[in-house]
Amino acid sequence: MSAPPAPQDGFAVILVEPQLGENIGMVARAMWNCGLSDLRLVNPRDGWPSQAAIDASAGAVPPIEAARLFPSVDAAMADLDLVFASSDRVRDLQSRVLRPEAAAREMRARAVQGGKAGVLFGPERTGLSNDDVARANGLIQIPANAAFTSLNLAQAVLLIGFDWWRAGMDGPAEWIARGDTEPATKAEVENLYARLVAGLEAGGFFRSPKLKPTTLRNLRALLERAGLSAQETRTLQGVVSALRRAPPAEDAAARDRD
Amino acid sequence: MSAPPAPQDGFAVILVEPQLGENIGMVARAMWNCGLSDLRLVNPRDGWPSQAAIDASAGAVPPIEAARLFPSVDAAMADLDLVFASSDRVRDLQSRVLRPEAAAREMRARAVQGGKAGVLFGPERTGLSNDDVARANGLIQIPANAAFTSLNLAQAVLLIGFDWWRAGMDGPAEWIARGDTEPATKAEVENLYARLVAGLEAGGFFRSPKLKPTTLRNLRALLERAGLSAQETRTLQGVVSALRRAPPAEDAAARDRD
């Protein structure tokens, strides 16, 4: 349940004139975290292959090995049929604007129809030109804190890539990890509850007969809410027994006298 | 519509024994991208304050200035009432496991009730100890590519932080950015369509009377699908007129003869 599905054919990551090899490597790392390997480089300033990129990729081999060089943005996206441009600037250009999760859904939907998508990322300092943005089917805008939108290349790739990756996952968003244990049955919880109540009766816990029903209900609700395993009910049975064997604590005895 | 809401009081980011100041700075940057500023450091190896952290924070001042030192995990989370542990390892520990989006929703829900949440992140190499994980209300597991789960500290903070940030946003996940333009009315699109069809009639475009109704429907659908602005309908009116004034192209004339 906790294991994500195997990597599948994802969208192409197109870096337009990236400057530092280190950034290309960090992009490769973010890509492979998200099961993406189709890395395309348009005129990287420091050339390709790049030792700096390999060093920064932290072992993300597939995108580094699959990386291809292209002489132009048009050439890099010629085989794709859905291309978004990652940009946080508003353009003087009528354009679809999508948050990462919406772009992820659309790329997944296109893949189901046999299509192939890509995302353009601009140079580190300047971002994409308006000419490049006009070639895309829409803009992906990552809605970061308006007071601080500065995202580096790898962070932008990670946020868009992770939404894409997650959009292809099945399974719940929350579960209980149990290791080797089994969840307790209702009867096991009830046995524990009975043992606990017997001990509390014996210890003079219920001083007010009027409040006793409410206290009992709250104790039972607490035990249910905890989502106990079968093993834990046995452990807690032992806890109750051990406490009954222990002599009264000094401070408790003092408090009881008040 | 595209501007995110102002930063609001978010969850505390607790770094347990972080090693490199640079990583603390990159965490601060990722935090402030997501409007988070409550940074707590438990025994940072290289001390605090850290010039390396400031250098790596790319101007994310608020988390750097708000950062506080704590001598223990317990002290760092004493005022919080909901704490998750970020971990990609499966533990021999019964525990709630949440994907980032589920944890984000729960932290938002707790904040509505006046509570205060936090997330523990372990040291770069080893991650959190089982003792620290057992102190948390649940585990956040980032479901990265199973073949390559290596996420650095700042990436983990970014993915969890961004889901938290996004969970507090209103507004659509997709829209049309129009700049100064207004969307075209139906009448404006219809005028353009009529002008286009008149030109096509004059140019002998409809050779098969049988196919003409389908072709007309497809042209109309294409114009509607494009989501034209009022200005664009006027531009395209001019495009049609200009094409009618232009002499027939050589290759088109040749093709027409076949």
Side-chain angles (χ1 to χ4, degrees):
Chain A
M1 181 135 70
S2 65
Q8 37 192 304
D9 197 38
F11 66 86
V13 171
I14 305 165
L15 303 185
V16 181
E17 296 174 15
Q19 301 184 299
L20 295 172
E22 182 187 356
N23 286 337
I24 300 174
M26 288 169 66
V27 164
R29 177 179 184 173
M31 285 176 67
W32 192 229
N33 282 141
C34 304
L36 298 168
S37 59
D38 187 352
L39 175 58
R40 305 180 181 198
L41 306 172
V42 179
N43 297 325
R45 189 192 66 186
D46 294 348
W48 190 261
S50 155
Q51 188 58 45
I54 294 169
D55 292 346
S57 68
V61 173
I64 295 285
E65 290 196 340
R68 282 177 290 168
L69 275 178
F70 292 90
S72 69
V73 172
D74 284 333
M77 64 185 187
D79 63 316
L80 307 177
D81 52 37
L82 178 69
V83 175
F84 293 120
S86 171
S87 172
D88 63 354
R89 279 193 296 145
V90 177
R91 312 279 176 157
D92 186 19
L93 195 68
Q94 180 177 329
S95 170
R96 292 178 62 206
V97 183
L98 301 94
R99 290 199 184 153
E101 66 270 28
R105 284 192 296 265
E106 187 158 331
M107 291 193 285
R108 288 274 180 190
R110 185 62 64 99
V112 167
Q113 297 174 316
K116 178 87 174 104
V119 180
L120 295 170
F121 296 86
E124 287 90 334
R125 289 203 187 170
T126 55
L128 291 168
S129 70
N130 279 336
D131 272 353
D132 290 338
V133 169
R135 284 170 160 75
N137 297 76
L139 273 180
I140 302 180
Q141 210 175 65
I142 298 175
N145 180 4
F148 187 66
T149 57
S150 153
L151 281 168
N152 71 25
L153 208 46
Q155 286 175 310
V157 169
L158 181 68
L159 288 176
I160 295 170
F162 191 67
D163 270 359
W164 176 87
W165 171 255
R166 184 158 48 175
M169 295 184 72
D170 294 323
E174 183 184 339
W175 63 95
I176 303 283
R178 297 200 170 275
D180 295 334
T181 70
E182 292 295 315
T185 63
K186 287 293 181 191
E188 285 165 330
V189 176
E190 193 59 27
N191 284 341
L192 169 61
Y193 172 75
R195 175 97 68 112
L196 175 63
V197 172
L200 294 175
E201 297 271 15
F205 182 77
F206 301 106
R207 301 202 178 170
S208 158
K210 197 174 157 200
L211 292 179
K212 184 174 170 184
T214 304
T215 306
L216 287 174
R217 263 198 308 278
N218 284 340
L219 284 172
R220 180 174 260 144
L222 189 160
L223 288 179
E224 293 294 351
R225 202 170 64 228
L228 298 172
S229 70
Q231 177 56 53
E232 285 172 333
T233 63
R234 292 189 289 273
T235 302
L236 290 174
Q237 298 257 16
V239 167
V240 171
S241 299
L243 291 175
R244 292 188 70 165
R245 285 194 304 269
E250 298 270 332
D251 59 339
R255 200 168 58 237
D256 282 356
R257 276 193 303 275
D258 291 341
Chain B
M1 181 135 70
S2 65
Q8 36 193 305
D9 196 38
F11 66 86
V13 171
I14 305 165
L15 303 186
V16 182
E17 295 174 17
Q19 301 183 299
L20 295 171
E22 182 187 356
N23 287 336
I24 300 173
M26 288 169 65
V27 164
R29 177 180 183 171
M31 286 176 67
W32 193 229
N33 283 141
C34 305
L36 298 169
S37 60
D38 187 351
L39 175 57
R40 306 179 181 199
L41 306 172
V42 179
N43 297 326
R45 189 192 64 186
D46 294 347
W48 190 261
S50 155
Q51 189 58 45
I54 294 169
D55 292 345
S57 68
V61 173
I64 295 285
E65 291 196 339
R68 282 178 289 168
L69 276 179
F70 292 90
S72 69
V73 172
D74 283 333
M77 63 185 189
D79 62 318
L80 307 177
D81 52 37
L82 177 69
V83 175
F84 293 121
S86 171
S87 172
D88 63 354
R89 279 193 295 145
V90 177
R91 312 278 178 158
D92 186 19
L93 195 67
Q94 179 178 331
S95 170
R96 291 178 63 206
V97 183
L98 301 93
R99 290 199 185 154
E101 66 271 26
R105 283 192 296 266
E106 187 158 331
M107 291 191 288
R108 288 275 180 189
R110 185 62 65 101
V112 166
Q113 297 174 317
K116 178 87 174 104
V119 180
L120 295 170
F121 295 86
E124 287 91 332
R125 289 204 187 170
T126 54
L128 291 167
S129 70
N130 279 336
D131 271 354
D132 290 338
V133 169
R135 283 170 160 75
N137 297 77
L139 273 179
I140 302 180
Q141 211 174 64
I142 298 176
N145 181 4
F148 187 68
T149 56
S150 153
L151 281 169
N152 70 25
L153 207 48
Q155 287 175 309
V157 169
L158 181 68
L159 288 177
I160 295 170
F162 192 66
D163 270 357
W164 176 87
W165 171 254
R166 184 158 48 175
M169 295 184 74
D170 294 323
E174 182 184 339
W175 63 93
I176 304 283
R178 298 201 169 275
D180 295 334
T181 70
E182 292 295 317
T185 63
K186 287 292 181 190
E188 285 166 330
V189 176
E190 192 60 26
N191 283 342
L192 168 61
Y193 171 74
R195 174 96 69 112
L196 175 64
V197 171
L200 293 175
E201 296 272 16
F205 182 76
F206 301 107
R207 300 202 178 170
S208 156
K210 196 175 158 200
L211 292 180
K212 184 174 171 184
T214 305
T215 306
L216 287 174
R217 263 197 309 278
N218 285 340
L219 284 172
R220 180 174 261 144
L222 189 160
L223 288 179
E224 293 293 352
R225 204 170 62 229
L228 298 172
S229 69
Q231 177 57 52
E232 285 173 332
T233 63
R234 292 190 288 274
T235 302
L236 289 175
Q237 298 257 16
V239 166
V240 172
S241 299
L243 290 175
R244 291 188 70 165
R245 286 194 303 270
E250 298 268 332
D251 60 338
R255 200 169 58 237
D256 282 356
R257 275 195 303 274
D258 291 340

